[in-house]
Amino acid sequence: GKGGGLTVSEALAAGRPLILFGSVPGQETRNARCAQEDNAALIAASAKETARLAAQLSSSATLLKDLTHSAAALGRRHAAEDVARSALSHVR
């Protein structure tokens, strides 16, 4: 997918690594770079490279495990609930 905020945050919340391709310059490319720097994503420069990276992930249990571990560590599974709870605590 692209490096959109929802794509990246939902994948990380689910503890799933990403292969990102075609991110729009600006926020999406920054999201992609951040996820890559934190070892939770791979960035492809072309559709062909996307396929190559997917095949690499399929054949390397170690790479998939490392990326998945990093994604899970970054993700906030209950982020929406936490934000709602925090907002409600200020209303009461």
Side-chain angles (χ1 to χ4, degrees):
K2 298 188 322 163
L6 284 176
T7 300
V8 173
S9 62
E10 287 181 5
L12 296 178
R16 299 293 183 250
L18 300 118
I19 297 175
L20 299 168
F21 168 66
S23 297
V24 175
Q27 188 61 44
E28 287 187 3
T29 55
R30 287 189 294 274
N31 292 343
R33 268 197 316 270
C34 285
Q36 181 186 43
E37 289 170 3
D38 288 329
N39 198 39
L42 301 174
I43 298 175
S46 66
K48 186 175 182 177
E49 186 179 12
T50 301
R52 183 187 65 74
L53 291 173
Q56 183 180 357
L57 276 179
S58 295
S59 64
S60 174
T62 301
L63 178 59
L64 181 58
K65 180 182 175 184
D66 290 347
L67 288 169
T68 300
H69 178 75
S70 295
L74 287 172
R76 300 278 309 265
R77 270 186 99 69
H78 304 287
E81 186 178 319
D82 293 344
V83 168
R85 188 175 295 118
S86 176
L88 289 173
S89 75
H90 294 292
V91 173
R92 296 179 189 171

